[in-house]
Amino acid sequence: MRYKNFVWPHNPRVYSIGFRRTMGADKVPFGRYVLQDLGPEQRIMEGEGEFVGENAYELFKQLATVFYSDGPGLLVHPVWQTSNAYFVELSLTQEPRADYVRYHFTFWESYDGHSTGTKVTTNGNGGGQQESTPAAGREQWYTVVRGDTMWGIARKYGMSLTALVALNPQIKNPNLILVGQKVRVA
C-alpha cells in the first residue's frame, strides 16, 4: 500500500472500505413516508497495521509525518481501487516500543468528480500520439484518467485482465497505473 510518498513495508493486517448513502425521510399524511436519495457520502478506508523490527517506531514516525502534510494524496492499495484521499486519522492502539508499533488509520476519499468518458487514440484518427507496428495492423490505446484500474479498463474493452496485462509489458506493476499513462487495449 502507498500514500503520497510513504510505502508500507507490508500491507496493513486489516483494511476495510465503507460505502454509505444519505437518505432523507419525510412524513406524509395518514402515517406514510417518502424517502429521498441525497446521494452517496465519501468512501471511508480504514484499517489496522503493525510495524515490526528494529526500525518499527521510525516507520511510524515517517507515517505520522505524512499524516501532517496538507491536502489529499493518491492512496494505492494492491486490491482496492486507487483513490485521491485525505489522511484523517492515525492513532496508536497500544504503547509503542522501538521494535513494535500497532496503529489504526482512516482515509476519506476526496470527490473531485468522476470521469466516465474514455479517451482512445487509434492509428489514422489524428490527434495525440500514434503508434503502430506493421505486424499488429491497427493498435488501440487508452489514456488513463483518475480512478482507473487495469481491471476497470479491461472490463470497458471486454477483455480479461490477463489479456490486458499481456498486451502491456511496459507496465511493471498492474496495480499502479498513472494518470496520462497509455495502455494498449487492442
Side-chain angles (χ1 to χ4, degrees):
M1 192 163 95
R2 178 172 61 91
Y3 180 71
K4 291 186 178 179
N5 64 347
F6 184 83
V7 178
W8 275 255
H10 51 83
N11 289 330
R13 261 185 322 107
V14 177
Y15 188 85
S16 65
I17 297 182
F19 299 86
R20 184 182 170 127
R21 179 173 297 279
T22 302
M23 299 294 290
D26 296 312
K27 290 185 90 42
V28 294
F30 307 110
R32 304 285 182 178
Y33 59 90
V34 174
L35 292 179
Q36 181 181 9
D37 184 352
L38 301 174
E41 293 183 6
Q42 77 276 7
R43 288 191 308 173
I44 298 175
M45 295 148 288
E46 61 184 335
E48 293 180 5
E50 54 195 10
F51 296 127
V52 179
E54 62 185 41
N55 66 341
Y57 194 67
E58 288 303 315
L59 282 169
F60 180 78
K61 288 194 306 189
Q62 290 173 19
L63 183 59
T65 300
V66 173
F67 172 80
Y68 284 110
S69 65
D70 290 334
L74 196 62
L75 177 63
V76 179
H77 187 277
V79 176
W80 298 100
Q81 181 179 10
T82 299
S83 64
N84 197 33
Y86 284 89
F87 199 167
V88 298
E89 180 189 356
L90 177 64
S91 58
L92 292 166
T93 56
Q94 71 177 50
E95 185 175 339
R97 298 189 320 246
D99 64 343
Y100 182 79
V101 176
R102 202 166 102 201
Y103 60 93
H104 178 268
F105 61 88
T106 304
F107 292 93
W108 286 7
E109 181 180 43
S110 173
Y111 180 77
D112 299 327
H114 296 293
S115 171
T116 56
T118 59
K119 294 194 295 184
V120 177
T121 304
T122 56
N123 289 338
N125 277 351
Q129 292 180 313
Q130 297 178 1
E131 300 177 34
S132 160
T133 58
R138 186 178 172 121
E139 292 180 358
Q140 207 173 29
W141 294 83
Y142 173 79
T143 303
V144 175
V145 296
R146 185 186 321 198
D148 277 338
T149 62
M150 289 290 279
W151 180 80
I153 294 168
R155 258 186 50 187
K156 282 181 192 175
Y157 288 91
M159 59 195 316
S160 71
L161 178 59
T162 305
L164 183 62
V165 169
L167 270 176
N168 292 280
Q170 78 280 11
I171 298 175
K172 302 299 180 208
N173 180 356
N175 293 319
L176 178 60
I177 55 175
L178 305 173
V179 172
Q181 187 174 4
K182 302 283 187 200
V183 176
R184 184 175 171 194
V185 293

